[in-house]
Amino acid sequence: MKQKIINSKAYAPRCEYCLHGKLTADGESVLCIKKGVMLPESSCRKYEYDPLKRKPKKRTVKSEFVDSDFSI
């Protein structure tokens, strides 16, 4: 049996990540083909996770380096 690469259960259901919704230009609402205008934080029973809509968190870069970090 194949494992899913992306665990859709790890993220709370939100309309902004839904397959059926599209975020408006101002980012304050979602246009859903199933339910109409929704808030980005809300969700419904028709929710389907779309991993391409989620924006990953930015990585933090270590700002302080020591000479021993660059030696072999």
Side-chain angles (χ1 to χ4, degrees):
M1 191 180 252
K2 285 186 176 181
Q3 285 185 338
K4 288 186 178 181
I5 294 174
I6 298 171
N7 185 4
S8 62
K9 301 283 184 187
Y11 304 104
R14 296 177 58 131
C15 283
E16 65 181 333
Y17 304 142
C18 183
L19 180 69
H20 305 294
K22 182 173 182 177
L23 197 63
T24 57
D26 61 358
E28 294 183 11
S29 58
V30 174
L31 301 175
C32 180
I33 60 173
K34 301 286 185 178
K35 294 287 185 175
V37 180
M38 303 284 286
L39 292 174
E41 299 86 28
S42 63
S43 66
C44 66
R45 285 194 269 164
K46 302 290 184 180
Y47 174 78
E48 287 185 47
Y49 180 65
D50 185 8
L52 298 178
K53 289 188 178 180
R54 190 179 64 82
K55 294 178 183 159
K57 295 178 185 176
K58 290 187 176 183
R59 287 185 162 181
T60 57
V61 178
K62 185 178 177 183
S63 60
E64 297 177 11
F65 292 105
V66 185
D67 290 336
S68 62
D69 292 338
F70 299 103
S71 63
I72 296 178

